[in-house]
Amino acid sequence: MHIGYVVKRYPRFSETFIVNEILAHERAGVPVEIFAVRRVNEPYFQSILGQVRSPVHYISDSTPKAEGLWTALKDGAKSLPGFWDNLERFRNEELPDVLQGIHLAIAARKAGVTHLHAHFATVATTVARIAACFAGIGYSVTAHAKDIFHADIDPLKLRPKLADAKAVVTVSDFNVDYLATTHGFRPPHVQRIYNGLWLDEFPYSSPAIRPKHIVAVGRLVEKKGFSTLVEACALLDAAGQEFTCEIIGDGPQRADLAQRIEESGLSDKVRLAGALPRPNVITALQSAAVSALPCIVADDGDRDGLPTVLVEAMALGTPCVSTDVTGVPEVVKHGTTGLCIEQRNPKALAEALGAILENPAMRERLASEARAMIERDFDVDQNAAYLRTFFSARAATVALRRAAG
C-alpha cells in the first residue's frame, strides 16, 4: 500500500487533523505522498509539520498556452494507459482541473502510489477523481463540513465525486445522515471516522483548581459564534461573575469582535489573542477552567462539522461548552462530557459557563468522562488504521496488476 494524500493547500494552519492522520500512517510504516493542488497563502505554520517525513508535491494550477497544453497531453498519452479514452470521459470538466488530474496521475504513478485519498469534497476531490481514473487506481474522500453544507455547493458536481469514490468518509454521524438524506449516499459506501488525536501530545490534567478563565479557539468567522460568546461574557460581568476570557484565532470578524468587546466594557476581561502556535494553544487550553465554542449555522449555511479543538480540550481535561450544531452533540454530551446548549443563545451560554466556573466538582466529573470518550473514540492511530482498511483492498489489486505488467 502506498497512499497519495490530495489536499487543496498544504500546509494549512487550521488543518492539523490532516497532519495528524498522515503522521499516524507514517508511524504504521505506510508510505505516503502529499499532493497539493493550490499554492499556500498563509503566513503561519504549525510546528507539528516538522514531524512529517512524506514528500510533498505541488501540482501546478496554471493553465498553459497552446504549446504547453499539447505538451501536457502528449506527456499523458505517453505515461498513462488508455489516456485518450479517459480524456473523453472528462470532456465536461474544467480544463485546469483536467490538466491537474493528468499531472497528478503521472506523479502518482511515478511515485508508486496505489490509492489516492482526498480531504474535502471540493477541488481536491475533483482532481483526485480525474487523476485516479488516468492512473488506473482508486480514490476515497473525507467530507468535512463546508464542502457539503455551504450554500454554494452544487449537488450536480458533488454527487459524481462521491459516487465514483471507493469510499466516502465523514467526520460525524450527523454528516452520515446528511449525506444519506440530502444526496442519497448511505453506509457502507459512507462511513464515519472521527478526526483523531495523537493522545501522547494531549496529556490529561484535572481542571479542579484552575483559575476562572475561559478560553475559546477558532478562526474569527461567523460560524464559530464568538459574537455570542462576547454577549455571554457581558451577561457574566453584569451578574458579578469573576472570570477572564481569551479568544485565540484570527479572521475577518476580528475588528467587529474588538468593537463589541470595547462597547460592552469588557476590555479588561476579554482578550483577542490572535493566532497562536499549536504548543501555545495547548498551554492555553490546559490553563483554563472551561473552553467555549458556541458554534452556529452561518447565514450562508456554513457550519462546523465537529471542531477538532473540542476534542483537544477534552483530551487535556478542559470541560467544554458548545452548541447543538451538526456533530457537536456527539462529543459534547450534555451533562456527561460537557454542556451543550442551543445555538445563538447568549443567556444559556452565560449560565453554562458560570456553572462550570463556580463548580470544581462538576469540572472534574465532566473532564474525566470526556477524556475516557476521547481515548475510546478519537485515538488517531486507531482511526487511521480503520481508514486504511478502505485503502487496502483496491491498493492490493493495483499492486498485483502492476506486478503482472
Side-chain angles (χ1 to χ4, degrees):
M1 184 190 306
H2 192 154
I3 306 303
Y5 263 68
V6 187
V7 294
K8 183 176 181 179
R9 305 181 196 278
Y10 183 90
R12 288 207 68 184
F13 191 81
S14 60
E15 294 178 356
T16 52
F17 48 88
I18 297 176
V19 178
N20 282 331
E21 200 170 282
I22 290 169
L23 288 171
H25 294 316
E26 291 184 355
R27 284 194 292 274
V30 176
V32 176
E33 309 282 329
I34 302 167
F35 300 99
V37 299
R38 294 290 186 273
R39 298 176 189 278
V40 177
N41 59 0
E42 294 179 329
Y44 306 108
F45 302 103
Q46 298 283 9
S47 58
I48 191 176
L49 289 168
Q51 301 175 31
V52 176
R53 295 292 176 264
S54 301
V56 181
H57 309 258
Y58 289 98
I59 307 299
S60 173
D61 60 345
S62 62
T63 303
K65 295 181 180 179
E67 183 177 351
L69 175 60
W70 279 113
T71 299
L73 295 177
K74 285 191 293 185
D75 288 345
K78 180 180 177 182
S79 306
L80 304 171
F83 175 78
W84 296 110
D85 289 340
N86 288 328
L87 185 63
E88 175 67 17
R89 179 182 171 188
F90 299 112
R91 62 185 302 174
N92 294 323
E93 298 288 343
E94 298 289 335
L95 178 60
D97 293 339
V98 175
L99 289 174
Q100 283 198 295
I102 294 170
H103 292 314
L104 174 53
I106 293 171
R109 284 181 64 87
K110 185 176 180 181
V113 168
T114 54
H115 185 90
L116 295 175
H117 183 70
H119 266 277
F120 293 94
T122 51
V123 66
T125 303
T126 300
V127 175
R129 173 176 175 249
I130 295 169
C133 179
F134 280 126
I137 60 179
Y139 76 97
S140 49
V141 54
T142 295
H144 290 265
K146 186 175 183 178
D147 50 332
I148 55 176
F149 295 131
H150 197 277
D152 291 342
I153 297 299
D154 182 349
L156 296 179
K157 292 183 178 179
L158 174 65
R159 288 170 184 162
K161 292 187 280 190
L162 301 184
D164 289 349
K166 299 305 174 187
V168 176
V169 174
T170 192
V171 297
S172 70
D173 290 330
F174 180 93
N175 285 11
V176 172
D177 292 340
Y178 179 85
L179 290 173
T181 57
T182 306
H183 297 292
F185 295 100
R186 293 178 168 79
H189 187 63
V190 178
Q191 292 288 324
R192 184 266 287 157
I193 301 179
Y194 290 131
N195 288 333
L197 297 180
W198 187 40
L199 296 177
D200 289 359
E201 191 181 14
F202 295 89
Y204 177 88
S205 67
S206 168
I209 59 172
R210 296 182 190 175
K212 294 178 181 179
H213 181 60
I214 303 165
V215 67
V217 183
R219 292 189 66 229
L220 306 186
V221 293
E222 183 186 4
K223 67 180 179 180
K224 300 297 182 183
F226 290 142
S227 59
T228 304
L229 177 58
V230 174
E231 289 183 68
C233 287
L235 292 174
L236 288 171
D237 189 47
Q241 172 68 54
E242 177 189 347
F243 77 101
T244 54
C245 178
E246 182 178 39
I247 301 175
I248 298 171
D250 210 343
Q253 282 200 326
R254 184 182 180 99
D256 177 68
L257 289 170
Q259 183 177 352
R260 287 171 184 262
I261 291 167
E262 183 177 355
E263 290 177 350
S264 300
L266 294 169
S267 299
D268 61 336
K269 290 185 176 293
V270 181
R271 185 172 82 94
L272 296 177
L276 296 179
R278 183 179 176 85
N280 299 52
V281 173
I282 290 174
T283 299
L285 287 169
Q286 285 173 319
S287 306
V290 59
S291 177
L293 191 61
C295 303
I296 64 172
V297 178
D299 291 341
D300 61 3
D302 193 15
R303 69 201 78 171
D304 274 317
L306 204 169
T308 301
V309 69
L310 289 173
V311 181
E312 293 174 342
M314 288 179 168
L316 292 165
T318 306
C320 293
V321 178
S322 193
T323 59
D324 55 354
V325 170
T326 62
V328 171
E330 294 172 36
V331 292
V332 185
K333 299 174 182 176
H334 186 70
T336 303
T337 61
L339 296 183
C340 189
I341 60 169
E342 67 175 356
Q343 61 173 307
R344 299 180 185 272
N345 189 334
K347 182 173 182 293
L349 179 59
E351 290 174 352
L353 292 172
I356 292 179
L357 288 171
E358 289 301 317
N359 192 333
M362 175 189 280
R363 293 203 294 269
E364 184 81 59
R365 177 176 58 80
L366 295 175
S368 177
E369 291 280 351
R371 174 69 191 196
M373 178 190 66
I374 298 302
E375 291 180 359
R376 183 180 66 245
D377 296 334
F378 290 86
D379 182 330
V380 72
D381 290 308
Q382 170 184 289
N383 292 5
Y386 182 40
L387 182 61
R388 288 194 297 274
T389 65
F390 297 104
F391 304 158
S392 58
R394 179 67 180 176
T397 301
V398 172
L400 287 171
R401 191 169 65 228
R402 287 182 179 173

